[in-house]
Structure formats: C-alpha cells, structure tokens
Amino acid sequence: MRLISHGDERGNLIALESNKNVPFEIKRVYYIYSTKEKVSRGFHAHRDLKQLLVAVSGSVDIYCEAVWGNKTIHLSCPFEALLLEGLVWREMHNFSKDAVLLVLASDYYNESDYIRSHDQFLVELRRFNDTPPQ
Ligand code: T46
C-alpha cells in the first residue's frame, strides 16, 4: 500500500498512526538494519500478529506464501508499505547494504505466536482463509 507523504521544498515526511493509515493498534516497533551480504531472514509465519513493513532506506525482497499462493514484494521506497496479516509465511531476501526495514506490529513480542516450521505452517494453512497483501 502507498503511504501519503507530506513533501515540501525541505523534503518528505510520512506519519504512521494507529487505526488510521496503519490498520491496527501499534504496540511494537522494530527495525532490521546492517544485514550481512547474502543473508536471508524470517522463515516463519505468525498466528495472530499483524505487521506493516516499510523499507525506510535501501531495498529488500519479501517472499510471502499464504492460502492465495505466493508472491515476492520488492520494498524499495519509504512510501510503500507491505501489510502482513493472517497466516503468511515470510522470508526476507536480497537486503541492500543500506537497507533499514521498519516494522510496526500489532502486539508485543511473543515467541508462541511464531510458526517456525514450514510443515506446521502448511498444516495450519489448510484451516485458514485470507486475502493477498496490499
Ligand atoms: C517478522 C520479520 C519481518 C525480540 O527480542 N523482540 C522483537 O520484537 C523481535 C522482532 C525479535 N526479538 C529477538 C528474537 C531473536 O532473538 O530478536 C532476535 C531476532 O529475531 P528473529 O530471528 O525472529 O528476526 P527475523 O528477522 O527473522 O524476523 C523478524 C520478526 O521476528 C518477525 O516477526 O515478521 O522480522
């Protein structure tokens, strides 16, 4: 989804607000940076967590797998966000050297919300229905 940027002669500013342009209450913010060359991250799904991902610097490919199939989204602009909700297997690949991936999350960190086995993900996916990421 495209975020509205407030730009003027000084540059740009994007505001992210709970239940406004972010479709959930934001309880946690984290960012991934200085990812080493050729390193991929993720390889899990979440049971309940909703997240909004923005490459505020650089670029990264997000591979998503869900009931609707699979898709790779290239994030490379601070005004493009990827909403991940529902049961979505995600992998992050091809981080650029300068990539900073900002993530807004709907809940606190909770390891029991993670599905880290792809086989278990496929089992849970069979019981699940969802829409593609925007
Ligand atoms: C996701 C993708 C996009 C914390 O202590 N608190 C946190 O909020 C998070 C996210 C992680 N951690 C600890 C847990 C691990 O010891 O930080 C370490 C790295 O976490 P993880 O290996 O899960 O990181 P990624 O990059 O594989 O996945 C992360 C998120 O965990 C995940 O929710 O969707 O980014």
Side-chain angles (χ1 to χ4, degrees):
M1 62 194 242
R2 205 182 167 98
L3 302 167
I4 292 173
S5 181
H6 304 277
D8 58 26
E9 66 286 352
R10 298 169 297 175
N12 297 304
L13 182 156
I14 291 177
L16 299 170
E17 298 179 287
S18 290
N19 301 316
K20 290 191 174 176
N21 59 347
V22 178
F24 51 79
E25 183 80 26
I26 302 161
K27 287 201 177 157
R28 178 166 52 107
V29 176
Y30 61 92
Y31 40 95
I32 296 169
Y33 65 101
S34 298
T35 305
K36 304 273 185 291
E37 216 178 321
K38 295 184 183 148
V39 164
S40 293
R41 304 186 63 121
F43 300 91
H44 57 253
H46 283 282
R47 293 192 170 87
D48 294 315
L49 193 69
K50 295 177 186 173
Q51 298 194 110
L52 194 79
L53 282 63
V54 183
V56 291
S57 166
S59 63
V60 58
D61 291 331
I62 314 289
Y63 169 79
C64 300
E65 198 178 316
V67 73
W68 34 261
N70 58 65
K71 188 173 178 176
T72 297
I73 293 104
H74 182 66
L75 290 179
S76 59
C77 305
F79 54 80
E80 270 174 16
L82 173 65
L83 176 65
L84 293 179
E85 59 181 342
L87 205 53
V88 182
W89 183 262
R90 78 282 315 262
E91 298 173 9
M92 295 168 276
H93 301 284
N94 304 321
F95 283 90
S96 65
K97 224 174 173 176
D98 57 346
V100 179
L101 182 66
L102 175 73
V103 184
L104 309 183
S106 64
D107 214 339
Y108 303 113
Y109 179 70
N110 175 11
E111 186 56 39
S112 69
D113 188 63
Y114 283 73
I115 304 168
R116 292 196 183 269
S117 146
H118 194 260
D119 287 345
Q120 179 60 26
F121 164 73
L122 293 176
V123 168
E124 300 199 21
L125 190 64
R126 281 183 211 116
R127 303 184 217 124
F128 193 81
N129 219 337
D130 200 9
T131 50
Q134 298 152 28

